[in-house]
Amino acid sequence: MIKAILIFNNHGKPRLSKFYEHYSEDTQQQIIRETFHLVSKRDENVCNFLEGGMLIGGADNKLIYRHYATLYFVFCVDSSESELGILDLIQVFVETLDKCFENVCELDLIFHVDKVHNILAEMVMGGMVLETNMNEIVTQIDAQNKMEKSEAGLAGAPARAVSAVKNMNLPEMPRNINIGDISIKVPNLPSFK
Amino acid sequence: MALKIVKGSIDRMFDKNLQDLVRGIRNHKDDEAKYISQCIDEIKHELKQDNIAVKANAVIKLAYLQMLGYDISWAAFNIIEVMSSSKFTFKRIGYLAASQCFYEGTDVIMLTTNQIRKDLSSPNQYDTGVALTGLSCFVTPDLARDLANDIMTLMSHTKPYIRKKAVLIMYKVFLKYPESLRPAFPRLKEKLEDPDSGVQSAAVNVICELARRNPKNYLSLAPLFFKLMTSSTNNWVLIKIIKLFGALTPLEPRLGKKLIEPLTNLIHSTSAMSLLYECVNTVIAVLISLSTGMPNHSASIQLCVQKLRILIEDSDQNLKYLGLLAMSKILKTHPKSVQSHKDLILQCLDDKDESIRLRALDLLYGMVSKKNLMEIVKKLMIHVDKAEGTTYRDELLTKIIDICSQSNYQYITNFEWYISILVELTRLEGTRHGHLIAAQMLDVAIRVKAIRAFAVSQMAMLLDNGHLLAGNMQRNGICEVLYAAAWICGEFSEYLQEPNQTLEAMLKSKVTTLPGHIQAVYVQNAGKLYASVLQQNEQDGDKEAAQEITQMLIDKLPQFVQNADLEVQERASCILQLIKYIQKLQAKDVPVAEEVMALFAGELNPVAPKAQKKVPLPDGLDLDAWINDAPSESSSDDENPKKMIFHEEEQRSARHRQPEMDEDELARRREVRKQEQANNPFYIKSSPSPQKNYQDASGVDHIPVVQIDLTVPLRVPGMPLSDQYLKLEEERRQQQKQDRQKKKKKQKRDKKGKRRHDSLHTESDEDIAPVHHVDIITEEMPENALPSDDDDKDPNDPYKALDIDLDKPLADNEKLPVRTHRVSEKKSPEIETSPVEEKSKKPSKKAKKEKDKKKDKEKRKSKEKVSKKHKFSENAENEHAAPEEEIITPTSKEESEKPTGEASDLDFWLSNTPVQSKSQPEPLRNEVASEPVASELEETLKEKDKEEDAKSSKHKKKKHKKDKTKEEKKSKKKKHHSDEEAPESVQNGSLDEEPLPPMSNYCLLAENSYVKMMCDIQGNLQDGSQVVVSVIFENQSSGYLKSMEFNVLDSLNTKLVRPEGSSIHDGISVPFQLPPEVSNEARFVFTMESIVMPQKLKGTLTFIVKTDDGSSHEKLDFKLHFTCTSYMITTPCYSDAFAKLLESGELKMCSIKVDGISISFQLLLAKICFHHHFSVVERINSCASMYSRSIQGHHMCLLVKMGDSSVSVDGKCNDSTLLGNLLDELKQTLTEKC
């Protein structure tokens, strides 16, 4: 079982949090903070597993994470998950994000956390891995987006236009300001599927 | 209206959307909280609007704020509103927000039930999808109960996308509503063989999660998983299955034997590291479960260790880490194989990655032996010095202590060395494990008598230098060791060389800066020390010295009397007053030493940590009963005699005892202990030594009392003694070797410290006997301690509720709650129904019906709430009336039957492991195998009975009976794992209790000197025109059997299913090779045109035998006999459906009679059920009706009557040829074996 999935940046700002067990908002924030603390002080070239489930559940749990450019992707899992399998899953997740957002960067996650949730929901459901095939995930996401568009129809058009104008007029949101792209090319990954 | 919508959407343009919110927050870095509270106000306003789009927009913003830590539960109702929007876009937002913030405590969650049910049955698969996803995050017991049936329907949805989500969410449903597990399980199992790999993977996932918590209930699925493992190519699925097997093997060692080979093959063949790693892990689990290391498994261990070494040597830190992790598992059972890689592991201690260092440390723990302990600890000590960062250093410290103290100091050969190590560790700065070191010092000093003198000298040194340690005052800091030092010096003061000096050190004014509990120990032990000094002085007749020391205490103690710590104050003033009194007596020249010593007399023995728990409950004592009648009254003074037992117990372990009592008590306990020790293998017996007598203070007699006027310590603290011991130990060992060679005595090497080198320990050598006998005092247990380790599982474990036996047939009252007004239209699919009904209704109809139902449901929404509560009871009642209308899909019906079949196969499947050798006598195996099964059976029956009793009020009588027959049938199945020629040990007892002989359907196909083939033919449940032939190949030669090819000559009617593209003359290669004396099973599928006649096919098995002399091609001809029986599939049938079937008049009839039957009716039925795949419909006395179905759907009904030594069987079937042939076969079975 996956107990929680967290994404935060190099400064510990949460970009996505998904808990598969109930915690109060305060506890959630504390977990995010402590996880960030644990993960951020680790060097780049050390292993991606952290033991000691003082955060969530018992000692059975592990943190498995990957660091891409400005973002940490952290999965908290119990012993029924394969460590290397989860690492691959994180990779699949990031690659899927990359495909859905076309060169994903931290800004995409910041402004479209709902979409990230939707993508995640196609991969992991209630803490269990639902799908590991990226093409399948992308297909489902595309189909849902299409549905969304068709529902918005005419009524949605003005809103989209306004939103586009808003983005245009606000100079403080250039896409690549001090936020590097998430590099998703990870060498040494044992192929999983 | 339209205008309103347009207006709404125009308004909306100027609302903040999620992006605006995020942007706003980023622009208000300084006053973020204020900005957000502003936004929340806006959101509240938006939520009040009618426009659902505005609400959805507000909700998505809330979901974002939730991530930032804001509580949004106040908007729960609005979230539900958005969830119920008809537009997918908004629905998805609603479910997302719900999944982020709903949980069991959310009160409005009960309002979602109907909405979710509606979404689940939505024609749009994505509506269903988001509902399932959302529900998976916030399912509650109520939701699980109400929706279980809907979700189960979705498990058979046409779209794999829905199926896999429905399968996955079932796990959550089971967790919240365990009653749903048994009804839903057959379908879940069916999904293991779903054509869609995603669904299959989801089912594997769920079953693995279930099995991880309660593995024993899933053992019967092992053959199925085994098949999946050998056929699946999806690594996710493989990993899950392999992990599952890891959990199952400890329960069933035979399974492990079967697994080794395919796992080894996978290890060799896979390129995915994740899979390789899990395979290695499971092989390790298997090897652990086969605790008696078979010789041929050492190869597997070697393979694992080799592969792990490769992982550890890899540059990828992740692999390195996992390699070490797995290695530590091997270590537990096969330490030797790991020890050879000590170099590698020590190397990992230098790794820059802390996680890896910690893992390596774990490994070291298991790798020590008497030989290398000192060496390893020395290396660790070097690391301690080098380590930066207190966490890692502390970890090292605890590991050193763990390593040394493990299994009762098993590996320590020299305790002086160990004490030195502990003393060296006290020099660690900033450690938080002072208490650990202290505990070790105490433990060793108390339990190893021979070391006390040395320990005391070291502790005295520590006390003298106490100010060095006192610098670290934090909690659990290193100053804790002073606690131990003071106590040891006080308790064993007779070993002190210079008690006066130590006493002074304990009363220094600096001591008052120590934590309170340490000061208290100082004060108390100063008292002890004083007593022993006093005694010495009196014995020496040195009154002056005695008075001097008394005066010193009177001078120094007042500083403690003023201490802020209560404990210190109390003890100090107590002792101070005592000493003042002693001073008075001394002034009168009264000898007081004896009496003062008596204050502290008595021996302390270590008490086992669990001792209190293990005090057996005396007969007749009920701890839960009221001791007094009136609980309200407080009666303080009547002492119940039972209470005395505990009272006594407490006194015994109390530190200060009356001296008179002591003598008796001590003597008695010494006796007991001696006896205990005599039986304890860990106790190293010592020859009687005068030193053992604690109270014999002669050891200190001749120590001259030295006046000390130096306040500066004479000795330099913490000289690294341990290194010297290391050298010493080597010398000693060398010496011992020589000694042994010289003397050729067989004596066991006496442990440690036998010889001391005077030059090294000038300070303490004089009064220490040259030979130390070490006895590790075992921890005391109360007499009659209960041996059991009753560490019960956490009663709150939510997974415990899922510990449900899945092999038991479903009881009639076990079904998922369906809303009552629907009961007659739709029943949960797990209920077995008449075949007639089944034929008439098609699954497609069902879907339509469901739609109607939904409409229906909407109308009755209001009614439902009321009815909900009564659901259970109503269901139970309705059930009896309902069967006529019940429909079911054919697959689920078959599935429901499958578990029993599967269970029955398990034993045979397992008993047939590669380890089984020809030389092993067959009957022996049967015995071994059948015993556990028999007991298991008994248990099941008992359990069943209990359950039935409990439920009997709910059961209708009729059902009750049915249940029983089913149960009988099942029990019969369970037993069939061995051969037919089992003894007919029929007992005269009641029929139901009669034990059934083991049976097997596997019969000999062909045999020669190389190979033996056994086969069993079963109809294929999935495909009506196929049968599956399972063949067990057993290698009977001493060579290796390779390239086995199985081929048959197809007939017009019957054809072997070959891989695509191969011609009808090609054989099928058997997917394994057989080492000598190993057997394995392969399955072959045949297609049939007609099944009414039995058929025979000729076939050949070709293979290569490879022996040391070379290899040769061999072949074995066989005849495969397809009986009509093999086309029958065990199918349960209700008696009312059975009656209808007979009445229908479509069936042809035929009868046989068999004479000379001597077996019981029970056994007879069991045989028919087992060998001919029938199930008992009803049984009255010696008459029974039975039912079965062919793979092509023929109904086969039998009426079996037993007279005196004869049996008549009347059969009815759609096809008379089939019936005739089957009855012939039946006759043969009955005559042959009776």
Side-chain angles (χ1 to χ4, degrees), chain A residues 2-18:
Chain A
I2 299 170
K3 301 300 174 77
I5 295 172
L6 307 174
I7 306 178
F8 42 73
N9 72 0
N10 287 347
H11 306 290
K13 279 251 177 344
R15 295 305 177 214
L16 175 123
S17 68
K18 184 86 211 166

Side-chain angles (χ1 to χ4, degrees), chain B residues 854-868:
Chain B
K854 297 287 125 115
K855 274 182 212 157
D856 204 4
K857 176 183 50 180
E858 295 297 305
K859 279 185 222 154
R860 305 199 198 176
K861 225 180 197 172
S862 56
K863 261 192 195 172
E864 189 209 30
K865 256 192 195 167
V866 187
S867 61
K868 209 160 132 191

Side-chain angles (χ1 to χ4, degrees), chain B residues 86-263:
Chain B
S86 57
K87 279 194 180 174
F88 171 72
T89 317
F90 303 143
K91 191 184 287 297
R92 183 159 74 169
I93 290 171
Y95 274 105
L96 170 62
S99 74
Q100 291 295 88
C101 75
F102 281 12
Y103 68 105
E104 275 178 39
T106 308
D107 44 5
V108 292
I109 211 165
M110 58 189 235
L111 300 178
T112 60
T113 316
N114 282 309
Q115 181 55 44
I116 295 173
R117 183 175 280 136
K118 200 172 128 198
D119 290 336
L120 289 183
S121 55
S122 158
N124 180 343
Q125 63 165 332
Y126 292 112
D127 283 351
T128 314
V130 289
L132 285 172
T133 305
L135 186 61
S136 72
C137 292
F138 58 77
V139 61
T140 64
D142 283 345
L143 282 175
R145 190 192 60 228
D146 296 346
L147 296 171
N149 198 49
D150 303 72
I151 297 171
M152 209 162 92
T153 318
L154 290 179
M155 283 167 77
S156 312
H157 199 273
T158 50
K159 298 238 170 64
Y161 178 76
I162 299 301
R163 282 210 302 276
K164 71 183 175 192
K165 287 195 170 197
V167 167
L168 218 47
I169 202 179
M170 278 318 276
Y171 178 66
K172 294 281 182 172
V173 173
F174 296 151
L175 270 187
K176 299 292 177 186
Y177 179 55
E179 290 87 337
S180 61
L181 177 57
R182 279 168 48 74
F185 194 71
R187 187 169 293 191
L188 181 59
K189 214 175 114 186
E190 178 192 331
K191 294 296 148 202
L192 284 175
E193 295 177 297
D194 195 280
D196 183 87
S197 73
V199 181
Q200 199 184 38
S201 157
V204 169
N205 216 333
V206 170
I207 294 189
C208 288
E209 278 300 331
L210 290 169
R212 199 165 69 93
R213 306 295 180 173
N214 303 295
K216 65 178 188 309
N217 299 339
Y218 299 86
L219 258 183
S220 62
L221 290 183
L224 187 56
F225 277 118
F226 191 83
K227 206 174 101 199
L228 278 179
M229 183 176 79
T230 44
S231 61
S232 176
T233 52
N234 180 337
N235 281 350
W236 261 104
V237 171
L238 280 175
I239 287 178
K240 283 281 173 192
I241 293 176
I242 289 167
K243 269 185 163 277
L244 172 68
F245 275 131
L248 292 182
T249 45
L251 303 169
E252 179 53 272
R254 288 177 293 169
L255 174 62
K257 290 174 193 162
K258 193 148 184 141
L259 283 173
I260 289 263
E261 198 192 320
L263 285 178

Side-chain angles (χ1 to χ4, degrees), chain B residues 562-581:
Chain B
Q562 291 150 15
N563 198 287
D565 192 283
L566 261 188
E567 179 82 8
V568 182
Q569 235 183 62
E570 195 176 357
R571 291 190 190 207
S573 59
C574 210
I575 290 178
L576 182 60
Q577 290 313 313
L578 188 72
I579 289 175
K580 278 183 182 162
Y581 180 66

Side-chain angles (χ1 to χ4, degrees), chain A residues 18 29 47-48 51 78-80 111 122 126 131-132 140 144 147-148 151 166-167 172 192, chain B residues 19-20 23 67 88-89 92 99 124 126 161 164 172 209 212 235-236 243 318 321 353 359:
Chain A
K18 184 86 211 166
Q29 290 305 305
C47 73
N48 298 107
E51 274 177 89
D78 69 13
S79 63
S80 73
F111 287 102
E122 295 300 325
E131 184 58 68
T132 52
Q140 301 298 351
Q144 292 177 38
M147 243 176 81
E148 207 171 4
E151 278 182 358
K166 277 183 195 162
N167 285 350
E172 70 268 28
F192 194 71
Chain B
Q19 282 73 35
D20 299 327
R23 199 176 295 123
M67 181 179 79
F88 171 72
T89 317
R92 183 159 74 169
S99 74
N124 180 343
Y126 292 112
Y161 178 76
K164 71 183 175 192
K172 294 281 182 172
E209 278 300 331
R212 199 165 69 93
N235 281 350
W236 261 104
K243 269 185 163 277
N318 292 328
Y321 173 87
D353 186 348
R359 283 279 138 236

Side-chain angles (χ1 to χ4, degrees), chain B residues 709-742:
Chain B
D709 34 22
L710 283 175
T711 51
V712 184
L714 291 172
R715 276 154 294 179
V716 182
M719 202 208 312
L721 277 176
S722 58
D723 287 356
Q724 297 164 347
Y725 280 106
L726 194 58
K727 224 194 262 164
L728 207 68
E729 182 70 12
E730 269 161 32
E731 283 169 28
R732 186 179 68 88
R733 280 181 188 164
Q734 204 112 38
Q735 178 82 42
Q736 262 177 353
K737 238 191 222 165
Q738 287 168 1
D739 283 359
R740 234 176 299 163
Q741 278 167 351
K742 261 189 234 160

